[in-house]
Amino acid sequence: MESFTTVPLPLTTEAETICAPATAPGGALSLIRISGPEAIPIAASICKNKAQGCNQEAQGCVCRCITATTPPNTIHYVHIVDANGHLIDECLVSIFRAPHSYTGEDSVEISCHGSRYITNKLMELLVQKGCRMAEPGEFTKRAYLNGKMDLSQAEAVADLIASTNAATHKMALSQLRGNFSSELTTLRDNLLRMTSLLELELDFSDHEDLEFADRSELLELANNIDNKIQRLAHSFETGNAVKQGIPVAIIGKTNVGKSTLLNHLVGEEKAIVSEIHGTTRDVIEDTTVINGVTFRFIDTAGIRHTNDKIEQLGIERTYKKLREASIIIWLIDEVPTSKEVDDITQQTQGKSLIIVRNKIDKSPALQYDVTLPHTPLPISAKHGQGLAKLEEAIYQAADIPAFSENDVIVTSARHYEALTHAANSIRRVIDGLQNNLPGDLLAEDLRLCINHLSDITGGQITPQETLNNIFQHFCVGK
């Protein structure tokens, strides 16, 4: 088999020392991160201490200055000065030594006041002392290169920062804590066992006195691997929907109250509300969180026959968004015709349909002489009546499975693609085993499966690892 790298090579000691603000500007405090071989010496060079002429002892100066021997995992109150010895700010400086830091390198974090001027002066000073401005994501990149996390965990950092609700936070935290990596490690161990068995068969097939694992054991392993990959891949539908926001299209005739409903659901005047028919001519979207899950509501142009070309384009977009949405809210304020019911039923096949009867403040009850797919939910979008029940119905329609921060839910399209390719490869292995194909053909598809899964974390099985596994777990001709 080909030679692969299992663990990315660590950064060399000649790596540049980088710095960057780690907090958004404008807050009360600002955090500046430094990482690299010269992080601690550079931090020490900008801290005013007694040897440099600190004359504030009489006023009770409590500087705890940083030196080359400053112990790790300590916080120091320091005065940071510019090249002329002028005080820039009084700061707290945290010291971390390799490999026990976020990046795996010597690192320093400076907590200063949140003034843009102070932050800029400190960054300017650090660059003068030998730091380089970090590129976007470079701290996490170094963490990966130094083996502090794998690729899937590195991607989870961005997801955790971008999380906007409880569900996305749980999914990102689970991945960052290595739960996804742990699942892949289990798969990797099983694949390594299969690879070892096949290598035995290929490398020692001329020794008739040796006994190899029969094909039933290999088939059982392959089926277990396939089931786990399929489970992970299927979770992407939920993960992607929760991450992007579950699309909910609000449809209905003109002037039925769709824009009013959207405004109430998102808590903002996003859409123009008017008694004039055909006011909404384009798609309007916004999001809100219901029970910890983000929903993306889509207000659409009213469905009616019109000669207005602009409004016709809006209606065409309505049907397009209807096809893209997972949940459809059909808003009515009068009894629909049988043709309308048939049309909506056909258009919403395979989707969750919620029929909502609006304007109950004007007409408390309707007598339905048509058969509806569901009993309409009564609301008054204008006055906010019944919206709590509607929100609960929307959440239930999403059918989001309960999960904790320990559950693995795939949210990345890249991971889903890799899992899909891996599933195709392992199914070819299963077919080959069932058809008694030779080991060299099975090994090729097995290698492809390993490679696709390795794309997720960034590590692959080497021939040496396979060889070690053979001799550790199998008795080869004593």
Side-chain angles (χ1 to χ4, degrees):
M1 294 178 71
E2 299 176 23
S3 177
F4 300 107
T5 302
T6 54
V7 179
L9 294 176
L11 295 174
T12 65
T13 54
E14 290 77 26
E16 296 175 287
T17 299
I18 58 174
C19 64
T23 50
L29 297 175
S30 178
L31 186 70
I32 295 174
R33 176 176 283 170
I34 314 169
S35 183
E38 298 299 315
I40 296 175
I42 288 174
S45 71
I46 64 175
C47 294
K48 188 174 183 180
N49 57 35
K50 295 177 182 179
Q52 295 171 320
C54 179
N55 59 4
Q56 299 187 37
E57 186 172 359
Q59 285 76 36
C61 178
V62 290
C63 285
R64 296 293 182 266
C65 300
I66 300 167
T67 68
T69 59
T70 297
N73 308 319
T74 55
I75 300 176
H76 305 266
Y77 171 69
V78 302
H79 294 169
I80 295 183
V81 297
D82 63 17
N84 298 317
H86 298 145
L87 181 66
I88 296 177
D89 196 11
E90 299 178 4
C91 306
L92 291 178
V93 176
S94 304
I95 303 297
F96 306 93
R97 292 189 180 272
H100 305 295
S101 70
Y102 178 75
T103 61
E105 305 171 320
D106 285 352
S107 299
V108 175
E109 292 182 354
I110 302 174
S111 178
C112 62
H113 291 95
S115 160
R116 290 175 183 265
Y117 174 79
I118 291 174
T119 302
N120 291 338
K121 288 294 290 184
L122 289 178
M123 289 301 301
E124 179 183 333
L125 183 59
L126 290 172
V127 170
Q128 290 173 356
K129 293 293 184 176
C131 285
R132 170 176 64 78
M133 283 290 295
E135 297 174 357
E138 189 170 0
F139 289 98
T140 302
K141 179 182 178 182
R142 291 192 176 199
Y144 164 69
L145 291 173
N146 285 324
K148 299 295 291 185
M149 59 180 68
D150 62 31
L151 280 181
S152 70
Q153 290 173 297
E155 290 171 298
V157 173
D159 287 345
L160 188 62
I161 294 171
S163 61
T164 57
N165 56 60
T168 52
H169 174 261
K170 284 182 181 178
M171 293 188 299
L173 196 59
S174 172
Q175 189 169 321
L176 182 61
R177 294 174 65 182
N179 293 327
F180 187 24
S181 301
S182 178
E183 291 269 9
L184 294 176
T185 297
T186 302
L187 287 171
R188 186 181 188 277
D189 291 343
N190 289 334
L191 287 165
L192 177 58
R193 178 171 173 78
M194 285 195 68
T195 303
S196 301
L197 287 167
L198 287 175
E199 287 293 339
L200 269 176
E201 186 175 295
L202 292 172
D203 294 343
F204 299 96
S205 57
D206 55 337
H207 293 259
E208 297 180 358
D209 57 326
L210 296 179
E211 295 184 4
F212 304 106
D214 58 33
R215 291 299 176 98
S216 62
E217 181 180 351
L218 291 174
L219 185 60
E220 183 180 358
L221 276 172
N223 279 321
N224 289 337
I225 292 168
D226 181 45
N227 290 336
K228 289 183 179 180
I229 294 175
Q230 292 286 354
R231 176 175 56 80
L232 291 172
H234 288 161
S235 72
F236 176 71
E237 182 177 356
T238 297
N240 187 57
V242 172
K243 183 178 179 180
Q244 303 298 331
I246 299 171
V248 182
I250 305 173
I251 66 171
K253 291 182 177 180
T254 58
N255 209 29
V256 76
K258 299 185 299 299
S259 297
T260 303
L261 177 59
L262 173 77
N263 291 341
H264 271 281
L265 287 171
V266 302
E268 184 180 352
E269 296 295 321
K270 294 291 293 187
I272 297 174
V273 176
S274 170
E275 294 182 356
I276 302 173
H277 288 269
T279 302
T280 302
R281 299 190 173 201
D282 204 350
V283 172
I284 300 173
E285 299 187 25
D286 204 353
T287 61
T288 193
V289 176
I290 301 174
N291 294 343
V293 177
T294 298
F295 289 85
R296 180 159 46 88
F297 290 99
I298 308 162
D299 183 20
T300 61
I303 300 174
R304 67 167 181 165
H305 176 73
T306 179
N307 294 321
D308 188 311
K309 292 185 178 180
I310 301 299
E311 190 176 350
Q312 286 176 348
L313 291 175
I315 294 172
E316 289 177 9
R317 292 187 180 184
T318 294
Y319 282 106
K320 179 182 178 182
K321 289 297 180 181
L322 188 151
R323 291 189 294 270
E324 294 175 356
S326 301
I327 302 172
I328 309 297
I329 296 177
W330 180 21
L331 201 60
I332 61 175
D333 61 356
E334 60 185 12
V335 178
T337 65
S338 297
K339 184 179 183 306
E340 289 171 339
V341 173
D342 292 341
D343 182 49
I344 294 297
T345 302
Q346 182 178 1
Q347 293 284 346
T348 58
Q349 286 184 356
K351 302 178 183 296
S352 296
L353 174 64
I354 302 174
I355 305 176
V356 178
R357 187 270 165 118
N358 193 21
K359 303 180 182 179
I360 59 171
D361 52 308
K362 292 185 176 180
S363 177
L366 290 178
Q367 298 297 322
Y368 297 98
D369 55 1
V370 293
T371 302
L372 297 173
H374 308 287
T375 302
L377 187 65
I379 70 164
S380 171
K382 183 176 181 180
H383 299 287
Q385 293 176 256
L387 293 191
K389 290 184 177 180
L390 174 58
E391 289 184 350
E392 184 59 30
I394 293 169
Y395 179 78
Q396 294 297 329
D399 196 25
I400 301 296
F403 59 88
S404 70
E405 61 188 39
N406 294 320
D407 295 325
V408 178
I409 305 293
V410 175
T411 61
S412 166
R414 186 183 76 83
H415 297 169
Y416 173 71
E417 182 181 17
L419 289 167
T420 301
H421 290 317
N424 292 335
S425 297
I426 197 64
R427 279 196 291 271
R428 289 196 297 271
V429 172
I430 292 172
D431 291 341
L433 288 168
Q434 291 173 336
N435 291 288
N436 204 30
L437 291 183
D440 53 345
L441 295 180
L442 297 176
E444 176 61 21
D445 282 323
L446 191 59
R447 183 185 66 82
L448 289 174
C449 182
I450 293 170
N451 289 349
H452 291 312
L453 291 179
S454 298
D455 285 341
I456 298 174
T457 58
Q460 295 175 316
I461 296 175
T462 64
Q464 185 63 43
E465 192 173 1
T466 301
L467 188 62
N468 290 341
N469 186 270
I470 289 173
F471 286 101
Q472 287 174 4
H473 300 285
F474 304 101
C475 178
V476 181
K478 288 185 179 177

PDB file of all heavy atoms in Angstrom, residues 109-124:
ATOM      1  N   GLU A 109      -1.041  35.792  26.411  1.00  0.00           N
ATOM      2  CA  GLU A 109      -2.284  36.533  26.174  1.00  0.00           C
ATOM      3  C   GLU A 109      -2.269  37.790  27.023  1.00  0.00           C
ATOM      4  O   GLU A 109      -2.093  37.719  28.241  1.00  0.00           O
ATOM      5  CB  GLU A 109      -3.499  35.664  26.488  1.00  0.00           C
ATOM      6  CG  GLU A 109      -3.672  34.509  25.514  1.00  0.00           C
ATOM      7  CD  GLU A 109      -4.901  33.668  25.781  1.00  0.00           C
ATOM      8  OE1 GLU A 109      -5.570  33.928  26.808  1.00  0.00           O
ATOM      9  OE2 GLU A 109      -5.187  32.756  24.987  1.00  0.00           O
ATOM     10  N   ILE A 110      -2.436  38.937  26.369  1.00  0.00           N
ATOM     11  CA  ILE A 110      -2.419  40.230  27.044  1.00  0.00           C
ATOM     12  C   ILE A 110      -3.844  40.754  27.139  1.00  0.00           C
ATOM     13  O   ILE A 110      -4.506  40.959  26.116  1.00  0.00           O
ATOM     14  CB  ILE A 110      -1.538  41.243  26.283  1.00  0.00           C
ATOM     15  CG1 ILE A 110      -0.107  40.708  26.148  1.00  0.00           C
ATOM     16  CG2 ILE A 110      -1.544  42.602  26.978  1.00  0.00           C
ATOM     17  CD1 ILE A 110       0.785  41.593  25.290  1.00  0.00           C
ATOM     18  N   SER A 111      -4.309  40.963  28.347  1.00  0.00           N
ATOM     19  CA  SER A 111      -5.634  41.539  28.566  1.00  0.00           C
ATOM     20  C   SER A 111      -5.450  43.011  28.928  1.00  0.00           C
ATOM     21  O   SER A 111      -4.909  43.334  29.984  1.00  0.00           O
ATOM     22  CB  SER A 111      -6.355  40.797  29.693  1.00  0.00           C
ATOM     23  OG  SER A 111      -7.614  41.380  29.946  1.00  0.00           O
ATOM     24  N   CYS A 112      -5.894  43.882  28.031  1.00  0.00           N
ATOM     25  CA  CYS A 112      -5.730  45.319  28.234  1.00  0.00           C
ATOM     26  C   CYS A 112      -7.100  45.990  28.195  1.00  0.00           C
ATOM     27  O   CYS A 112      -8.119  45.339  27.973  1.00  0.00           O
ATOM     28  CB  CYS A 112      -4.814  45.916  27.165  1.00  0.00           C
ATOM     29  SG  CYS A 112      -5.445  45.747  25.472  1.00  0.00           S
ATOM     30  N   HIS A 113      -7.133  47.296  28.395  1.00  0.00           N
ATOM     31  CA  HIS A 113      -8.389  48.031  28.256  1.00  0.00           C
ATOM     32  C   HIS A 113      -8.799  48.059  26.785  1.00  0.00           C
ATOM     33  O   HIS A 113      -7.960  47.991  25.888  1.00  0.00           O
ATOM     34  CB  HIS A 113      -8.239  49.442  28.822  1.00  0.00           C
ATOM     35  CG  HIS A 113      -8.076  49.452  30.315  1.00  0.00           C
ATOM     36  ND1 HIS A 113      -6.852  49.479  30.931  1.00  0.00           N
ATOM     37  CD2 HIS A 113      -9.006  49.392  31.323  1.00  0.00           C
ATOM     38  CE1 HIS A 113      -7.013  49.463  32.241  1.00  0.00           C
ATOM     39  NE2 HIS A 113      -8.305  49.411  32.517  1.00  0.00           N
ATOM     40  N   GLY A 114     -10.119  48.159  26.547  1.00  0.00           N
ATOM     41  CA  GLY A 114     -10.642  47.955  25.210  1.00  0.00           C
ATOM     42  C   GLY A 114     -10.501  49.115  24.250  1.00  0.00           C
ATOM     43  O   GLY A 114     -11.060  49.059  23.147  1.00  0.00           O
ATOM     44  N   SER A 115      -9.790  50.146  24.619  1.00  0.00           N
ATOM     45  CA  SER A 115      -9.578  51.287  23.729  1.00  0.00           C
ATOM     46  C   SER A 115      -8.922  50.860  22.419  1.00  0.00           C
ATOM     47  O   SER A 115      -7.941  50.115  22.411  1.00  0.00           O
ATOM     48  CB  SER A 115      -8.688  52.329  24.432  1.00  0.00           C
ATOM     49  OG  SER A 115      -8.088  53.195  23.505  1.00  0.00           O
ATOM     50  N   ARG A 116      -9.464  51.324  21.302  1.00  0.00           N
ATOM     51  CA  ARG A 116      -8.853  51.019  20.005  1.00  0.00           C
ATOM     52  C   ARG A 116      -7.430  51.555  19.952  1.00  0.00           C
ATOM     53  O   ARG A 116      -6.537  50.933  19.375  1.00  0.00           O
ATOM     54  CB  ARG A 116      -9.686  51.630  18.873  1.00  0.00           C
ATOM     55  CG  ARG A 116     -11.038  50.966  18.653  1.00  0.00           C
ATOM     56  CD  ARG A 116     -11.826  51.721  17.596  1.00  0.00           C
ATOM     57  NE  ARG A 116     -13.155  51.155  17.420  1.00  0.00           N
ATOM     58  CZ  ARG A 116     -13.471  50.266  16.497  1.00  0.00           C
ATOM     59  NH1 ARG A 116     -12.533  49.828  15.665  1.00  0.00           N
ATOM     60  NH2 ARG A 116     -14.710  49.804  16.382  1.00  0.00           N
ATOM     61  N   TYR A 117      -7.234  52.712  20.558  1.00  0.00           N
ATOM     62  CA  TYR A 117      -5.902  53.315  20.554  1.00  0.00           C
ATOM     63  C   TYR A 117      -4.910  52.408  21.281  1.00  0.00           C
ATOM     64  O   TYR A 117      -3.809  52.143  20.785  1.00  0.00           O
ATOM     65  CB  TYR A 117      -5.935  54.692  21.214  1.00  0.00           C
ATOM     66  CG  TYR A 117      -4.572  55.315  21.386  1.00  0.00           C
ATOM     67  CD1 TYR A 117      -3.926  55.923  20.315  1.00  0.00           C
ATOM     68  CD2 TYR A 117      -3.922  55.276  22.621  1.00  0.00           C
ATOM     69  CE1 TYR A 117      -2.659  56.480  20.468  1.00  0.00           C
ATOM     70  CE2 TYR A 117      -2.662  55.838  22.786  1.00  0.00           C
ATOM     71  CZ  TYR A 117      -2.033  56.431  21.703  1.00  0.00           C
ATOM     72  OH  TYR A 117      -0.784  56.975  21.846  1.00  0.00           O
ATOM     73  N   ILE A 118      -5.290  51.915  22.473  1.00  0.00           N
ATOM     74  CA  ILE A 118      -4.404  51.052  23.239  1.00  0.00           C
ATOM     75  C   ILE A 118      -4.121  49.762  22.480  1.00  0.00           C
ATOM     76  O   ILE A 118      -2.973  49.316  22.374  1.00  0.00           O
ATOM     77  CB  ILE A 118      -5.023  50.740  24.620  1.00  0.00           C
ATOM     78  CG1 ILE A 118      -5.049  52.000  25.482  1.00  0.00           C
ATOM     79  CG2 ILE A 118      -4.250  49.630  25.329  1.00  0.00           C
ATOM     80  CD1 ILE A 118      -5.761  51.824  26.808  1.00  0.00           C
ATOM     81  N   THR A 119      -5.158  49.156  21.931  1.00  0.00           N
ATOM     82  CA  THR A 119      -4.977  47.911  21.184  1.00  0.00           C
ATOM     83  C   THR A 119      -4.037  48.117  20.012  1.00  0.00           C
ATOM     84  O   THR A 119      -3.113  47.316  19.774  1.00  0.00           O
ATOM     85  CB  THR A 119      -6.333  47.380  20.690  1.00  0.00           C
ATOM     86  OG1 THR A 119      -7.203  47.164  21.806  1.00  0.00           O
ATOM     87  CG2 THR A 119      -6.165  46.071  19.932  1.00  0.00           C
ATOM     88  N   ASN A 120      -4.245  49.200  19.260  1.00  0.00           N
ATOM     89  CA  ASN A 120      -3.394  49.468  18.098  1.00  0.00           C
ATOM     90  C   ASN A 120      -1.952  49.745  18.509  1.00  0.00           C
ATOM     91  O   ASN A 120      -1.002  49.303  17.843  1.00  0.00           O
ATOM     92  CB  ASN A 120      -3.953  50.646  17.296  1.00  0.00           C
ATOM     93  CG  ASN A 120      -5.250  50.315  16.601  1.00  0.00           C
ATOM     94  OD1 ASN A 120      -5.556  49.137  16.365  1.00  0.00           O
ATOM     95  ND2 ASN A 120      -6.042  51.327  16.277  1.00  0.00           N
ATOM     96  N   LYS A 121      -1.766  50.464  19.617  1.00  0.00           N
ATOM     97  CA  LYS A 121      -0.410  50.760  20.084  1.00  0.00           C
ATOM     98  C   LYS A 121       0.308  49.472  20.508  1.00  0.00           C
ATOM     99  O   LYS A 121       1.509  49.298  20.219  1.00  0.00           O
ATOM    100  CB  LYS A 121      -0.457  51.748  21.250  1.00  0.00           C
ATOM    101  CG  LYS A 121      -0.825  53.172  20.866  1.00  0.00           C
ATOM    102  CD  LYS A 121       0.250  53.827  19.993  1.00  0.00           C
ATOM    103  CE  LYS A 121       1.522  54.124  20.759  1.00  0.00           C
ATOM    104  NZ  LYS A 121       2.519  54.844  19.928  1.00  0.00           N
ATOM    105  N   LEU A 122      -0.417  48.590  21.196  1.00  0.00           N
ATOM    106  CA  LEU A 122       0.193  47.331  21.609  1.00  0.00           C
ATOM    107  C   LEU A 122       0.546  46.465  20.398  1.00  0.00           C
ATOM    108  O   LEU A 122       1.620  45.846  20.359  1.00  0.00           O
ATOM    109  CB  LEU A 122      -0.742  46.574  22.548  1.00  0.00           C
ATOM    110  CG  LEU A 122      -0.918  47.164  23.950  1.00  0.00           C
ATOM    111  CD1 LEU A 122      -1.907  46.333  24.761  1.00  0.00           C
ATOM    112  CD2 LEU A 122       0.415  47.248  24.680  1.00  0.00           C
ATOM    113  N   MET A 123      -0.334  46.414  19.406  1.00  0.00           N
ATOM    114  CA  MET A 123      -0.050  45.638  18.202  1.00  0.00           C
ATOM    115  C   MET A 123       1.160  46.215  17.472  1.00  0.00           C
ATOM    116  O   MET A 123       2.037  45.478  17.002  1.00  0.00           O
ATOM    117  CB  MET A 123      -1.278  45.627  17.286  1.00  0.00           C
ATOM    118  CG  MET A 123      -2.445  44.799  17.807  1.00  0.00           C
ATOM    119  SD  MET A 123      -2.012  43.062  18.074  1.00  0.00           S
ATOM    120  CE  MET A 123      -1.484  42.612  16.420  1.00  0.00           C
ATOM    121  N   GLU A 124       1.220  47.540  17.387  1.00  0.00           N
ATOM    122  CA  GLU A 124       2.350  48.198  16.741  1.00  0.00           C
ATOM    123  C   GLU A 124       3.651  47.876  17.475  1.00  0.00           C
ATOM    124  O   GLU A 124       4.686  47.592  16.850  1.00  0.00           O
ATOM    125  CB  GLU A 124       2.108  49.717  16.725  1.00  0.00           C
ATOM    126  CG  GLU A 124       3.213  50.532  16.094  1.00  0.00           C
ATOM    127  CD  GLU A 124       2.930  52.021  16.182  1.00  0.00           C
ATOM    128  OE1 GLU A 124       1.743  52.405  16.247  1.00  0.00           O
ATOM    129  OE2 GLU A 124       3.905  52.805  16.190  1.00  0.00           O
TER     130      GLU A 124
END
